[in-house]
């Protein structure tokens, strides 16, 4: 393996275009120099005149096979990928950890390819349409799902880029993706900003080239501060008050600044201080009420913020309309949102050994956001340390990189994952399944006894028979559902539980652990919490370990009574795609005899999950554009009048006629239950009726859910069918 270091004294300027790549090879002391390559020599579509030092070095040193590049954020990885792909014929794939990053990279790479396909699992039709582009840009999960199901397009793959490959420490799907590529002989380029033991990763993937870049496109200057340096400028939480002081003392009026906090609680506390200090808040969904709205100056970006709201925050910060941003580590990965200055609170503590939050890798990822290429000469990082010293933090970072390469499978030692991969091994290798596991880096450290115990479990529960998978095992492989989750679903079917509690294990990628942070201070929380927990008495501890109670709190529409929630928070705000995958899984389970329920029931479940409505009222979600809170307002209005829920596929005009005499009741419900002032309540009811009137000629069915169900019955032919034809052919 060739190891090359790009040295920090490398030079690069956009205006005027100039610079050079200075590097040395492993084992050599002599430095070498390369003139930067004019972009026109590579491709006239490259939007800048020169390749940067990293791109130039890669162009000169990469010849064939697998490669790994470790380089700071904003090093021009999209063009690196294109330079890599140019070595291969046939189809290529670029994979990334988030949907946002996939769409961003697809835009960048479309300048080089006539046709780029996108696969994120978000679009109903994407898994049913054939891939036609030379390049596919996709999430890790989408590519792995295609491998598991032997999709035609992955059989033609010649090369794959795995962006943010350091996610292998946090997400086991990355190791699975790499193992598939190694098994099939598909060339890999792994791109990473920070990864300990990168040499070990390169050796495991049989890489012929490893580039370790010590050059940063925008130089970074790091400062250390003790939290004690700052004043308690308010009467709130002491740490939050000092961070508030630090934010205003360290940020500059002409710069964009991000303050990273180690806990969501701290970020929300800072927004509370902002509200009291009369600083305008961009966030709409908050765990507290804001009495006075002011022009927004600050926002908090985290996983609890609803999807649309989070995207709006990103847009406003990117365009410069927001100067100050508080964030958790969600912003550190997979989003191109550079700032001039980054402030990071580092909590240091001792638990047998010294540790810090955020961990060392997250900390370096956060620092990667500092610096805007072409706009400022430097980026600035301020580590605000609580509970330790700067030398201790430096030692922790150094030790992390000396500990070597680790993966999520090693860290979690998760039986869910192991049981699933044994099934995959049997799919590919039969009784010699361990030959497949040997492709994984992690399984060399899993004991033989553990593997035998999990295999025994799979045979006892009828996932394996002799040397092959049973229909039950095949269902898990095709859907990506771990056998342990399927077993929990089957167990719950025989208990006296609401349908939504039964299907909760099938939504296994969701944690549903944030809702109570937003509602626990509400007036009716104790009563509402008692209500949902009472529904789960027969389930046992499992239903609380996976937060089924919080999931039911949402689907029962209890969030309606909490005026601080203008939108469902976090994961609850983007369950649309999950509802489609769930519908397909329920259809497969019924087809294989593992569950029951007619078409109407399956469709109601999908509507219930997507829109947060109880199953019996889920048809109300069929009003186009209705949303969670407005659908639950309709539900409460009809309940007050003792009216029955409308049926799925009923004409919206019939519902509209029932509701016309109930406008005043709707206003009253908004005032009494949601604590909305009368003028705003009247305006909200007016907007709701406008939505109903616009849909009067339609039917109570969500278009995407109907299209997915049509796919399950008719395949790609459904694309040529009108909505009414699908309904008629389904006999619904």
């Amino acid at each position: 393996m060739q190891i090359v270091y790009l040295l920090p004294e490398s030079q690069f300027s956009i205006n005027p275009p100039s610079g050079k790549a200075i590097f040395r090879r492993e084992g050599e002391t002599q430095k070498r120099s390369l003139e930067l390559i004019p972009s026109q020599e590579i491709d006239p579509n490259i939007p800048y005149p020169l390749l940067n030092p990293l791109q130039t070095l890669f162009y000169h040193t990469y010849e064939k096979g697998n490669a790994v590049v470790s380089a700071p954020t904003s090093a021009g990885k999209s063009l690196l990928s294109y330079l890599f792909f140019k070595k291969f014929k046939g189809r290529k794939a670029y994979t990334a950890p988030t949907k946002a990053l996939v769409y961003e990279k697809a835009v960048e790479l479309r300048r080089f390819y006539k046709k780029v396909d996108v696969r994120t699992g978000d679009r109903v039709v994407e898994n049913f349409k054939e891939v036609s582009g030379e390049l596919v840009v996709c999430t890790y999960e989408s590519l792995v799902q295609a491998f598991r199901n032997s999709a035609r397009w992955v059989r033609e793959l010649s090369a794959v880029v795995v962006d943010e490959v350091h996610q292998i420490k946090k997400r086991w799907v990355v190791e699975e993706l790499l193992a598939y590529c190694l098994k099939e002989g598909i060339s890999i380029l792994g791109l990473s900003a920070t990864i300990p033991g990168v040499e070990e990763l390169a050796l495991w993937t049989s890489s012929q080239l490893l580039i370790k870049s010590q050059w940063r496109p925008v130089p970074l200057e790091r400062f250390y501060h003790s939290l004690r340096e700052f004043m308690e400028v308010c009467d709130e939480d002491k740490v939050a008050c000092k961070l508030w002081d630090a934010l205003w003392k360290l940020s500059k009026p002409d710069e964009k600044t991000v303050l990273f906090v180690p806990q969501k609680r701290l970020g929300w506390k800072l927004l509370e201080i902002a509200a009291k200090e009369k600083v305008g808040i961009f966030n709409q969904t908050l765990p507290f009420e804001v009495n006075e709205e002011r022009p927004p100056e600050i926002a908090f970006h985290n996983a609890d913020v609803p999807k649309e709201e989070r995207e709006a925050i990103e847009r406003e910060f990117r365009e410069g309309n927001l100067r100050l941003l508080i964030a958790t580590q969600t912003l550190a990965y997979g989003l191109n949102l550079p700032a001039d200055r980054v402030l990071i609170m580092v909590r240091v503590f001792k638990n047998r050994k010294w540790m810090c939050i955020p961990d060392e890798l997250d900390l370096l990822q956060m620092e990667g956001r500092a610096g805007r290429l072409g706009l400022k000469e430097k980026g600035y990082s301020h580590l605000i340390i609580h509970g330790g010293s700067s030398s201790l933090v430096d030692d922790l970072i150094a030790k992390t990189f000396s500990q070597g390469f680790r993966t999520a499978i090693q860290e979690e030692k998760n039986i869910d994952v192991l049981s699933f991969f044994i099934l995959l091994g049997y799919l590919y290798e039969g009784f010699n399944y361990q030959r497949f596991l040997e492709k994984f880096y992690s399984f060399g450290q899993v004991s033989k006894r553990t593997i035998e115990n999990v295999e025994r479990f799979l045979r006892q529960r009828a996932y394996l028979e002799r040397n092959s998978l049973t229909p039950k095992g095949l269902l898990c492989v095709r859907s990506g559902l771990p056998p342990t989750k399927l077993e929990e679903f089957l167990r719950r079917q025989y208990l006296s539980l609401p349908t939504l509690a039964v299907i909760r294990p099938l939504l296994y990628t969701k944690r549903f652990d944030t809702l109570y942070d937003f509602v626990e201070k509400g007036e009716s929380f104790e009563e509402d919490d008692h209500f949902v927990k009472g529904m789960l008495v027969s389930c046992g501890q499992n239903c609380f370990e996976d937060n089924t109670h919080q999931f039911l709190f949402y689907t029962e529409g209890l969030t309606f009574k909490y005026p601080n929630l203008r939108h469902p928070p976090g994961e609850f705000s983007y369950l649309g795609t999950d509802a489609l995958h769930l519908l397909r899984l329920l259809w497969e389970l019924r087809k294989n005899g593992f569950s029951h329920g007619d078409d109407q029931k399956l469709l109601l479940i999908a509507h219930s999950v997507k829109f947060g409505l109880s199953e019996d009222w889920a048809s109300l979600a069929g009003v186009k554009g209705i949303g969670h809170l407005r659908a639950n307002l309709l539900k409460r209005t009809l309940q007050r009048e003792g009216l029955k829920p409308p049926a799925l596929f009923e004409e919206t005009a019939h519902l509209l006629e029932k509701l016309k005499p109930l406008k005043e009741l709707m206003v009253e419900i908004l005032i009494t239950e949601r604590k909305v002032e009368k003028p705003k309540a009247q305006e909200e009811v007016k907007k709701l009726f406008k939505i109903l009137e616009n849909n009067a000629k339609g039917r109570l069915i969500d278009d995407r859910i109907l299209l997915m169900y049509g796919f399950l019955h008719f395949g790609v032919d459904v694309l040529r069918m009108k909505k009414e034809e699908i309904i008629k052919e389904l006999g619904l």
Side-chain angles (χ1 to χ4, degrees):
M1 177 173 64
Q2 178 185 189
I3 302 178
V4 186
Y5 298 87
L6 181 63
L7 301 176
E9 54 264 41
S10 297
Q11 299 163 14
F12 182 57
S13 170
I14 292 179
N15 190 18
S18 62
K20 62 178 67 176
I22 301 173
F23 69 99
R24 69 173 178 84
R25 301 181 190 277
E26 177 85 351
E28 296 180 354
T29 56
Q30 179 187 356
K31 295 180 182 179
R32 301 169 184 259
S33 178
L34 286 171
E35 292 299 319
L36 301 188
I37 299 171
S39 300
Q40 294 299 310
E41 292 183 13
I42 308 298
D43 192 309
N45 293 312
I46 297 173
Y48 36 84
L50 293 175
L51 270 60
N52 72 23
L54 179 63
Q55 296 158 351
T56 296
L57 181 61
F58 184 83
Y59 181 79
H60 277 286
T61 54
Y62 177 73
E63 295 179 3
K64 61 180 181 179
N66 299 338
V68 176
V69 176
S70 177
T73 304
S74 302
K77 290 186 283 188
S78 297
L79 187 57
L80 275 184
S81 304
Y82 177 58
L83 297 175
F84 171 71
F85 287 145
K86 278 177 72 68
K87 297 282 187 176
F88 300 92
K89 296 179 180 179
R91 181 162 289 128
K92 299 95 175 174
Y94 184 109
T95 67
T98 65
K99 295 170 186 175
L101 191 56
V102 164
Y103 290 121
E104 185 179 291
K105 292 300 177 184
V107 170
E108 292 178 19
L109 289 164
R110 279 193 174 107
R111 62 170 58 101
F112 304 119
Y113 298 94
K114 290 182 180 179
K115 179 72 188 300
V116 174
D117 285 299
V118 173
R119 289 288 186 273
T120 65
D122 249 356
R123 299 170 180 173
V124 183
V125 298
E126 69 178 28
N127 291 324
F128 297 90
K129 279 188 171 181
E130 287 294 328
V131 167
S132 57
E134 182 184 350
L135 176 67
V136 181
V137 185
C138 55
T139 56
Y140 304 146
E141 289 79 6
S142 294
L143 180 54
V144 163
Q145 192 69 3
F147 277 129
R148 292 171 187 163
N149 288 279
S150 300
R152 185 183 302 173
W153 68 271
V154 297
R155 298 177 213 159
E156 303 163 355
L157 279 180
S158 58
V160 171
V161 168
V162 184
D163 198 359
E164 310 282 356
V165 71
H166 49 266
Q167 288 281 326
I168 195 170
K169 186 179 178 182
K170 296 176 181 290
R171 297 166 67 172
W172 52 264
V173 71
V174 179
E175 187 172 354
E176 182 184 352
L177 190 163
L178 292 170
Y180 275 122
C181 291
L182 292 172
K183 177 180 179 295
E184 299 299 326
I186 300 168
S187 293
I188 305 162
L189 171 61
L191 300 173
S192 170
T194 51
I195 184 165
V198 67
E199 294 89 350
E200 213 165 330
L201 170 65
L203 286 170
W204 169 53
T205 54
S206 302
S207 293
Q208 297 185 28
L209 172 66
L210 167 61
I211 294 179
K212 299 174 74 173
S213 176
Q214 299 164 343
W215 169 77
R216 199 176 190 276
V218 181
L220 178 71
E221 189 170 351
R222 181 191 287 175
F223 301 92
Y224 294 94
H225 309 268
S226 168
L227 189 65
R228 292 193 299 268
E229 294 176 24
F230 301 99
M231 297 175 61
E232 293 178 33
V233 292
C234 55
D235 297 324
E236 303 291 327
D237 177 285
K238 288 184 178 181
V239 172
C241 288
K242 289 191 172 190
L243 273 183
W244 184 253
D245 184 44
L247 176 60
W248 292 96
K249 282 182 176 174
L250 298 176
S251 62
K252 308 293 181 186
D254 63 336
E255 294 178 345
K256 294 201 290 185
T257 300
V258 178
L259 168 59
F260 283 105
V261 292
Q263 301 163 322
K264 287 178 286 190
R265 179 198 62 79
L266 192 54
W268 292 122
K269 184 60 71 175
L270 285 165
L271 281 200
E272 282 193 66
I273 295 171
K276 291 178 181 178
E277 295 290 323
K278 310 296 184 184
V279 175
I281 298 170
F282 188 86
N283 297 66
Q284 297 292 305
T285 304
L286 298 160
F288 56 88
E289 292 187 53
V290 175
N291 298 320
E292 183 181 358
E293 293 189 4
R294 303 174 70 87
E297 301 175 60
I298 194 168
F300 181 28
H301 185 288
N302 68 86
D304 289 354
V305 177
K307 178 185 176 185
E308 294 80 5
E309 199 171 310
R310 195 161 67 241
E311 289 171 350
I313 290 170
E314 292 161 10
R315 183 178 61 252
E316 293 298 299
F317 187 73
R318 186 179 287 115
E319 294 175 359
N321 300 322
L322 274 174
R323 184 176 68 83
L324 300 174
L325 188 61
I326 303 165
T328 57
Q329 67 186 47
T330 56
L331 192 70
Y333 289 96
L335 274 175
N336 183 24
L337 282 182
D340 300 295
R341 197 171 295 268
V342 167
L343 283 54
I344 307 169
M345 181 186 162
V346 185
R347 176 78 173 88
V348 182
F349 60 97
K350 192 170 187 178
N351 183 13
R352 296 185 181 176
K353 62 178 182 177
W354 284 103
M355 305 173 67
C356 68
I357 301 176
D359 69 32
E360 297 80 3
L361 292 186
D362 285 343
L363 192 155
L364 295 176
Q365 281 291 134
M366 292 169 180
E367 278 195 322
R369 298 295 145 198
R372 292 195 288 162
L373 182 62
L375 297 176
K376 294 289 177 74
E377 291 184 359
K378 277 187 180 181
Y380 300 94
S381 163
H382 298 263
L383 304 190
I384 303 169
I385 302 167
H386 180 38
S389 64
S390 59
S391 59
L392 181 55
V393 172
D394 281 342
D395 286 345
L396 289 172
I397 293 172
K399 284 178 182 176
T400 294
F401 280 84
S402 67
Q403 286 171 356
F405 181 62
R406 298 282 294 174
T407 70
I409 297 174
Q410 289 173 304
E411 297 286 344
E412 296 175 13
K413 297 177 182 176
N414 194 321
I415 299 302
D416 293 346
V417 177
L418 184 53
S419 62
F420 182 73
F421 284 151
I422 288 176
L423 292 183
L424 285 174
Y426 268 92
L427 179 69
Y428 289 108
E429 303 287 353
F431 190 68
N432 295 316
Y433 68 91
Q434 295 205 32
R435 192 184 302 165
F436 176 72
L437 296 185
E438 287 168 2
K439 295 292 182 184
F440 289 76
Y441 178 86
S442 305
F443 286 117
Q445 300 180 37
V446 178
S447 72
K448 186 176 180 180
R449 185 174 180 181
T450 300
I451 292 176
E452 288 172 349
N453 287 339
V454 175
E455 184 185 0
R456 190 177 303 114
F457 159 79
L458 293 171
R459 291 190 178 280
Q460 289 172 346
R461 300 302 176 96
Y463 291 91
L464 295 170
E465 186 174 332
R466 296 180 183 172
N467 295 336
S468 60
L469 301 179
T470 64
K472 194 177 180 183
L474 278 170
L475 187 147
C476 286
V477 168
R478 287 172 180 160
S479 65
L481 180 69
T484 47
K485 301 302 181 186
L486 178 54
E487 287 303 308
E488 177 61 13
F489 164 75
L490 295 173
R491 183 186 79 87
R492 293 188 188 191
Q493 282 194 124
Y494 295 99
L495 304 175
S496 300
L497 292 171
T499 302
L500 275 296
V502 174
I503 61 95
R504 164 67 184 106
L506 304 181
L507 297 164
Y508 66 96
T509 62
K510 298 295 183 184
R511 293 186 299 178
F512 295 134
D513 60 349
T514 59
L515 183 59
Y516 274 25
D517 292 339
F518 287 82
V519 298
E520 60 189 3
K521 295 179 182 177
E523 292 178 12
S524 64
F525 174 70
E526 190 173 331
E527 174 190 341
D528 296 337
D529 180 49
H530 181 75
F531 170 70
V532 294
K533 286 178 177 176
M535 300 168 75
L536 301 172
V537 171
S538 63
C539 184
Q541 191 58 30
N542 287 16
C543 277
F544 299 98
E545 289 176 354
D546 69 1
N547 296 305
T548 301
H549 58 305
Q550 295 198 46
F551 181 51
L552 289 186
F553 198 106
Y554 168 68
T555 55
E556 287 295 317
L558 298 173
T559 47
F560 181 85
K561 296 187 285 182
Y562 296 79
N564 59 300
L565 288 180
R566 299 192 189 183
H567 307 283
E571 291 176 316
F572 299 94
S573 70
Y574 50 100
L575 282 168
T577 302
D578 299 272
L580 300 177
H581 293 311
L582 174 66
L583 181 60
R584 186 174 188 179
L585 181 53
L586 288 170
W587 192 79
E588 291 284 351
L589 286 166
R590 186 182 67 179
K591 181 180 173 183
N592 285 276
F594 298 118
S595 69
H596 307 284
D598 58 18
D599 287 351
Q600 290 268 351
K601 184 173 182 65
L602 268 57
L603 289 166
L604 284 171
I605 291 171
H607 282 76
S608 182
V609 169
K610 181 174 180 177
F611 292 93
L613 278 161
S614 51
E615 184 189 352
D616 49 344
W617 291 92
S619 59
L620 294 171
V623 180
K624 189 174 183 179
I626 192 69
H628 170 65
L629 292 173
R630 287 171 178 160
N632 276 287
L633 173 58
L634 294 182
K635 168 188 168 180
R636 287 169 181 269
T637 303
L638 294 170
Q639 281 181 323
R640 282 272 198 105
E641 285 295 293
L643 298 172
K644 293 181 179 180
L648 268 181
F649 302 103
E650 184 178 302
E651 290 183 7
T652 308
H654 295 163
L655 175 63
L656 181 59
E657 288 304 310
K658 288 180 186 178
L659 291 168
K660 279 180 179 177
L662 306 178
K663 290 184 180 180
E664 289 303 317
L665 177 57
M666 286 187 181
V667 172
E668 180 193 333
I669 290 172
L670 284 169
I671 294 170
T672 57
E673 296 191 34
R674 192 151 168 78
K675 306 296 187 291
V676 178
E677 295 176 359
K678 188 172 182 178
K680 288 187 177 181
Q682 291 172 329
E683 183 64 26
E684 174 60 22
V685 170
K686 186 177 177 181
K687 289 178 182 176
L688 177 52
F689 268 87
K690 186 69 175 174
I691 291 171
L692 290 165
E693 288 162 3
N694 288 342
N695 287 279
K697 295 181 180 179
R699 294 178 178 269
L700 296 180
I701 183 70
D702 178 77
D703 288 349
R704 294 184 75 201
I705 290 174
L706 177 63
L707 186 59
M708 171 58 86
Y709 215 56
F711 268 125
L712 297 175
H713 282 272
F714 311 122
V716 293
D717 289 343
V718 78
L719 294 174
R720 296 190 292 271
M721 298 168 68
K722 294 181 179 179
K723 186 174 178 179
E724 291 295 331
E725 288 181 78
I726 299 172
I727 295 170
K728 182 180 178 181
E729 289 296 321
L730 287 171
L732 297 170

